[in-house]
Amino acid sequence: MTERARPAGGLGAIGGTLRAVARTSPWRAAQALLRLNQEGGFNCPGCAWPEEAARTHIDLCENGVKHVAHEVTRRRVGTEFFAEWPIDKLLGQSDQWLESQGRLVEPVIRRRESDRYEPIAWPAAFERIAESLLSLSSPNDAVFYTSGRTSNEAAFLYQLLARQFGTNNLPDCSNMCHESSGTGLSQVIGVGKGTVGLDDFGKAKAIFIIGQNPGSNHPRMFSALLAAKRRGCKIVSINPLKERALVRFAHPQEVLGLLGNGTEISDLYLQVRVGGDVALLKGIMKEVLAAEARSPGRVLDWAFIRSHTEGFERFLAALDAVSFDDLVRESGISRNQMREAAAIYLDADRVIACWAMGLTQHKHGVANVQETANLLFLRGNIGKPGAGVCPVRGHSNVQGDRTMGIWDRPKPEFLSRLSAEFQFQPPAAHGFDTVHAIRAMHEGRAKVFVAMGGNFLMASPDTAYTEEALRRCRLTVAVATTLNRTHLTTGEEGILLPCLGRSEADVQEGGAQFVTVEDSMSQVHRSQGRLKPASSELKSEPAIVGGLARALFGGGGPVAWDELVANYDRIRDVIARVVPGFEDFNRRVREPGGFRLPSGAQTRRFTTPSGKAVFTALPLPHIELGDGEFLMMTIRSHDQFNTTIYGQDDRYRGITGNRRVVLLHPDDIAAEGLSVGERVDLQSRFAEESRRVEGFEVVAYDVPRRCAAMYYPEANPLVPLGSVADGSNTPTYKSVRIVIKRRS
């Protein structure tokens, strides 16, 4: 059996886990892993999939182990390291090498004209940042970015600091991933989050997995999928690439699964063309309506449609306006396959639709999400047990950050409650999202950039442009655990502030503290590390925000920063008064499993202007490729977490030792006169603009014709900053026009 033909998970996952632990401190890693995703332990930073109600002592996955092993490493990056390594020399190293050097253990500064970082005391670092911020002509000249690992408590304080300073420039990683989900769902169901809980997976009769690769990105999801499959639930997978885990999966914690060929996951696998999701979903819905025409009144959920929705007639007209010929051409899926998908949908009275970046990072990403909602609305598959929408988040608290107010377009009601609590007037004008922030820095309209976690440069589109934007700042600041390329791409000055990891004990004046996170299904629960911190110089994220606030605002003012940081219960008491759904926060989060945030859409109370779910009339996107053009999508390998690269292999896709690859259909390789293993250059096309990357190896893969796949962040230089999703401004990482150039 070839590597690509083996089931995902299984012994390979166990081997990957053991290798990850062996590369770090096994004893320290074991201590951490025993507390990972446990009651009284800490939440895995690796994804936002929820924990099972009945916890076991092995509630982890290969990716989570890699992430924890990365955090608990014994390697350190401090004074001696930076004395040896000037920034220009560091820039010559790979991203994997940079992050593998170990934990940042003291605050450092790159001063003007200096070629390296040097130590700086915490008070001096805070004063330098405050001095730079206060020298700006307007608070809107500053940008406060947030990554998805930030806790609820830190995120709330961070947005409070930015708004007390006077700006809504609060871009975050949501802008680059699930912004299309939030935008699309808010318009049609009144809330930008999913409507299902983990228990709904135990009741669903069919699950549609669209544009998501859980085998590499959310492996713990397979516990729910395997259980659903074994009780007879049908699973439809929609993805341009044939992903191993969605074909067969062997649970690494099941002995019998390890000995056999695993469990078949997908009852139907539809390899849609890149960008063809709207066409495919329309085709499935036309088949559903055809079934209704054959059996009037017996197929659609007319009671739900009439009582709980609006826009149905406009939706029907838009669907009638397109032919199956057009839908087959745009999707690359035959009508027979559309009919098969519709049959599975029709045979199930409870359906869940899950998705990730494969739906959201397109020009029509919002339309993808809303067309998915249309499909569910037809048979009332929302707001009832075992049915609903499930956007699966990839970063552990990216959903919680938004709930806490990390948003460039805050709602007036939130600002009003913030004003009432702290007796100051927050700014009302919308701020910069990620794309607007990059452009503002590049144009000199934003001069100070502060990042709470993340690897902004490598996560963002248009890498060269973003690099120039960061370098044009007066000051760039990063709160981080390990070194990455963004930290080497500073403004005139750069400051690194090292913080505690999730696994480490957080002790403040009021004693040992815990933080909270919100998972993909709106469950809020505790996270508390116990390990001894990597350095006595490390501060928690809330303490870093508090320290900067004291330097920025002085000891007085409307916010008692010292009191909040001394005891996180006080932060949660404030959150309980400001953020709906968090009433009695401190008591409820201490209950086993925490609590679930309410949403009207979960019970068919849709908070749209009409109070009803909205059928959306959407045009059919037409993607016409020119001569020699391919539509490229960026993907993650099995050996990375977002921009953090753990290794050069992609076990599930059978690719070893190289990430600079382009995956193409074998017939396209032949048609272009290329050969497998050949090195090529790639050029993207957008408007009159062109971008180029060099030296990528051609790999034959099961992908639709005229489509290509490449790993990010290596492919991000090809993604144009101006190519964004309509309505959400999300970069189109999943639909980039490229041409392939043979090397001379």
Side-chain angles (χ1 to χ4, degrees):
M1 183 181 292
T2 66
E3 182 61 28
R4 287 184 187 174
R6 297 180 189 278
L11 293 173
I14 292 176
T17 297
L18 294 175
R19 286 190 294 273
V21 171
R23 286 195 294 264
T24 184
S25 167
W27 172 242
R28 187 171 167 85
Q31 287 179 296
L33 292 173
L34 287 173
R35 299 187 178 101
L36 182 63
N37 298 323
Q38 301 299 315
E39 287 288 352
F42 67 99
N43 185 255
C44 180
C47 79
W49 189 255
E51 280 75 47
E52 300 280 353
R55 308 283 180 92
T56 70
H57 284 292
I58 313 178
D59 191 8
L60 48 81
C61 69
E62 179 184 354
N63 281 13
V65 172
K66 289 176 181 177
H67 197 104
V68 170
H70 185 71
E71 181 175 295
V72 304
T73 177
R74 293 288 189 185
R75 305 189 74 178
R76 302 289 182 259
V77 174
T79 302
E80 294 181 359
F81 177 89
F82 287 117
E84 178 185 352
W85 288 91
I87 287 177
D88 285 348
K89 188 176 177 183
L90 287 170
L91 284 169
Q93 304 299 316
S94 71
D95 294 81
Q96 181 184 352
W97 185 92
L98 291 172
E99 295 225 26
S100 68
Q101 297 312 295
R103 294 288 299 279
L104 294 165
V105 291
E106 60 185 332
V108 291
I109 182 171
R110 179 191 187 178
R111 302 185 188 277
R112 285 181 176 84
E113 310 302 331
S114 175
D115 68 345
R116 68 192 67 220
Y117 280 106
E118 59 187 71
I120 183 173
W122 278 103
F126 289 140
E127 288 296 334
R128 182 68 198 94
I129 300 167
E131 177 186 336
S132 187
L133 288 169
L134 292 171
S135 72
L136 297 172
S137 59
S138 165
N140 291 319
D141 290 351
V143 171
F144 296 89
Y145 173 78
T146 319
S147 85
R149 70 169 295 278
T150 306
S151 68
N152 287 328
E153 291 74 12
F156 185 84
L157 293 186
Y158 194 56
Q159 65 82 28
L160 179 60
L161 180 147
R163 293 189 166 112
Q164 187 180 353
F165 181 61
T167 186
N168 284 317
N169 288 346
L170 284 159
D172 73 329
C173 56
S174 285
N175 300 150
M176 295 184 278
C177 57
H178 267 292
E179 198 68 58
S180 295
S181 297
T183 300
L185 291 176
S186 294
Q187 293 172 0
V188 300
I189 63 173
V191 62
K193 302 180 182 182
T195 63
V196 301
L198 196 55
D199 58 328
D200 288 305
F201 280 77
K203 302 168 184 173
K205 296 295 183 65
I207 299 170
F208 281 63
I209 302 173
I210 315 174
Q212 183 194 3
N213 178 22
S216 291
N217 303 336
H218 314 94
R220 288 193 300 128
M221 182 177 177
F222 278 95
S223 293
L225 293 179
L226 286 171
K229 183 71 176 179
R230 289 165 182 170
R231 62 173 177 75
C233 178
K234 300 291 186 180
I235 295 177
V236 177
S237 294
I238 300 173
N239 199 310
L241 272 66
K242 184 64 73 73
E243 301 288 12
R244 271 175 54 191
L246 290 173
V247 177
R248 282 190 169 275
F249 189 84
H251 202 302
Q253 296 174 27
E254 296 179 355
V255 175
L256 291 179
L258 297 179
L259 300 178
N261 290 325
T263 299
E264 184 180 33
I265 298 297
S266 297
D267 295 274
L268 180 63
Y269 203 121
L270 303 177
Q271 288 185 260
V272 65
R273 282 184 59 201
V274 173
D277 301 281
V278 166
L280 173 56
L281 291 164
K282 283 183 181 293
I284 295 170
M285 288 187 288
K286 283 177 77 74
E287 292 292 351
V288 171
L289 291 171
E292 169 68 22
R294 292 191 295 270
S295 302
R298 300 174 59 185
V299 175
L300 301 187
D301 188 337
W302 287 106
F304 173 79
I305 292 171
R306 290 168 180 149
S307 299
H308 295 288
T309 74
E310 64 170 334
F312 183 64
E313 295 302 324
R314 293 192 304 275
F315 156 77
L316 281 183
L319 199 56
D320 286 341
V322 294
S323 69
F324 271 108
D325 287 343
D326 291 337
L327 299 178
V328 169
R329 183 187 66 252
E330 294 296 334
S331 68
I333 301 299
S334 70
R335 184 171 178 182
N336 282 339
Q337 289 176 302
M338 293 177 185
R339 191 175 291 121
E340 287 183 71
I344 291 173
Y345 178 79
L346 291 168
D347 196 44
D349 59 356
R350 295 189 293 276
V351 179
I352 291 173
C354 306
W355 68 85
M357 307 299 91
L359 274 195
T360 63
Q361 293 176 332
H362 296 269
K363 179 174 175 54
H364 47 274
V366 173
N368 284 338
V369 170
Q370 292 181 339
E371 208 72 271
T372 302
N374 284 340
L375 174 64
L376 295 179
F377 294 164
L378 286 176
R379 285 171 52 82
N381 280 304
I382 192 164
K384 66 180 183 181
V389 294
C390 182
V392 183
R393 316 283 174 165
H395 222 155
S396 65
N397 198 43
V398 63
Q399 186 161 300
D401 285 356
R402 181 59 56 85
T403 304
M404 292 296 107
I406 299 291
W407 197 22
D408 56 287
R409 291 168 289 149
K411 293 184 178 180
E413 310 90 85
F414 176 82
L415 295 180
S416 177
R417 289 189 295 269
L418 204 62
S419 176
E421 176 68 28
F422 293 107
Q423 300 303 302
F424 76 91
Q425 189 58 50
H430 289 177
F432 298 140
D433 63 10
T434 294
V435 168
H436 288 132
I438 294 169
R439 202 174 296 283
M441 289 187 289
H442 198 275
E443 295 172 356
R445 293 182 289 116
K447 301 175 179 64
V448 174
F449 176 80
V450 184
M452 180 67 74
N455 186 356
F456 185 81
L457 171 63
M458 302 311 292
S460 296
D462 217 338
T463 310
Y465 186 95
T466 302
E467 180 178 358
E468 289 179 7
L470 289 167
R471 293 194 188 282
R472 292 181 182 184
C473 291
R474 293 180 190 170
L475 174 68
T476 51
V477 181
V479 178
T481 56
T482 57
L483 190 66
N484 64 49
R485 195 163 297 277
T486 301
H487 307 153
L488 308 177
T489 311
T490 72
E492 294 175 17
E493 288 191 330
I495 294 177
L496 300 185
L497 303 176
C499 67
L500 293 170
R502 281 271 179 89
S503 62
E504 293 170 320
D506 180 355
V507 180
Q508 302 297 330
E509 185 180 326
Q513 305 296 315
F514 69 86
V515 295
T516 62
V517 297
E518 177 187 348
D519 63 35
S520 279
M521 297 180 189
S522 301
Q523 194 76 14
V524 179
H525 50 88
R526 297 175 51 168
S527 177
Q528 185 168 13
R530 307 282 182 174
L531 294 184
K532 181 181 178 181
S535 166
S536 60
E537 284 284 297
L538 300 185
K539 290 184 180 293
S540 71
E541 288 177 328
I544 290 172
V545 177
L548 177 55
R550 287 191 296 273
L552 194 57
F553 307 123
V559 182
W561 291 98
D562 287 344
E563 293 181 16
L564 293 173
V565 173
N567 188 333
Y568 298 172
D569 277 357
R570 295 169 186 159
I571 306 174
R572 288 185 282 272
D573 284 339
V574 171
I575 293 171
R577 295 191 291 270
V578 173
V579 184
F582 284 83
E583 296 79 10
D584 202 11
F585 190 0
N586 273 307
R587 180 190 63 80
R588 293 163 68 205
V589 82
R590 284 175 163 85
E591 295 177 352
F595 61 93
R596 190 179 182 197
L597 293 174
S599 163
Q602 295 166 3
T603 55
R604 296 186 172 179
R605 291 181 294 105
F606 302 108
T607 52
T608 59
S610 67
K612 295 184 176 183
V614 181
F615 275 100
T616 314
L618 299 163
L620 176 65
H622 175 57
I623 301 173
E624 185 172 350
L625 297 174
D627 290 343
E629 286 188 341
F630 290 77
L631 202 60
M632 184 271 289
M633 57 183 282
T634 63
I635 58 176
R636 232 165 83 170
S637 81
H638 189 65
D639 216 4
Q640 75 180 97
F641 171 71
N642 291 346
T643 59
T644 300
I645 311 301
Y646 300 123
Q648 297 296 305
D649 297 343
D650 191 350
R651 190 174 72 246
Y652 288 172
R653 298 189 181 105
I655 298 170
T656 59
N658 187 17
R659 292 179 51 83
R660 296 182 68 82
V661 296
V662 54
L663 278 57
L664 300 170
H665 191 283
D667 291 346
D668 284 329
I669 295 173
E672 293 295 310
L674 302 172
S675 57
V676 173
E678 182 178 355
R679 296 280 178 171
V680 296
D681 300 336
L682 301 117
Q683 180 179 315
S684 66
R685 293 175 174 174
F686 174 72
E688 300 302 318
E689 303 169 8
S690 177
R691 291 157 183 80
R692 187 181 181 95
V693 295
E694 299 179 344
F696 281 69
E697 180 184 339
V698 173
V699 172
Y701 205 81
D702 191 355
V703 61
R705 295 292 306 271
R706 304 292 295 281
C707 296
M710 298 170 66
Y711 297 128
Y712 77 84
E714 289 84 355
N716 284 2
L718 294 172
V719 183
L721 187 70
S723 181
V724 296
D726 296 331
S728 70
N729 216 36
T730 298
T732 60
Y733 298 94
K734 294 293 187 291
S735 50
V736 180
R737 293 173 184 270
I738 64 168
V739 292
I740 302 170
K741 304 285 188 179
R742 302 195 70 171
R743 311 204 81 189
S744 55

